[in-house]
Amino acid sequence: MTGGVKGSRGAEIVNRYVLEFFDEHLKGNAGTLLKGPNEAYPEVQFYGNTSQ
């Protein structure tokens, strides 16, 4: 899976999603980013069951 996302944008996206994951699963601070598509990150696609 490759695409036209620039490296700096890709790094920003990965960092944001990883931080959101750890905030939710280690700190218990659930955000909205992992729940489904987000307008701030249109490059990210969700597959499978996104309901939690």
Side-chain angles (χ1 to χ4, degrees):
M1 292 216 241
T2 61
V5 177
K6 291 185 178 186
S8 59
R9 176 66 175 166
E12 174 189 343
I13 292 168
V14 169
N15 285 339
R16 186 65 182 98
Y17 276 83
V18 168
L19 286 173
E20 185 88 4
F21 174 85
F22 284 119
D23 280 347
E24 183 172 325
H25 293 281
L26 297 179
K27 296 180 180 178
N29 300 329
T32 60
L33 195 58
L34 300 177
K35 303 226 183 296
N38 186 291
E39 290 180 7
Y41 304 105
E43 304 91 340
V44 177
Q45 296 180 4
F46 280 77
Y47 295 95
N49 185 4
T50 60
S51 62
Q52 295 180 354

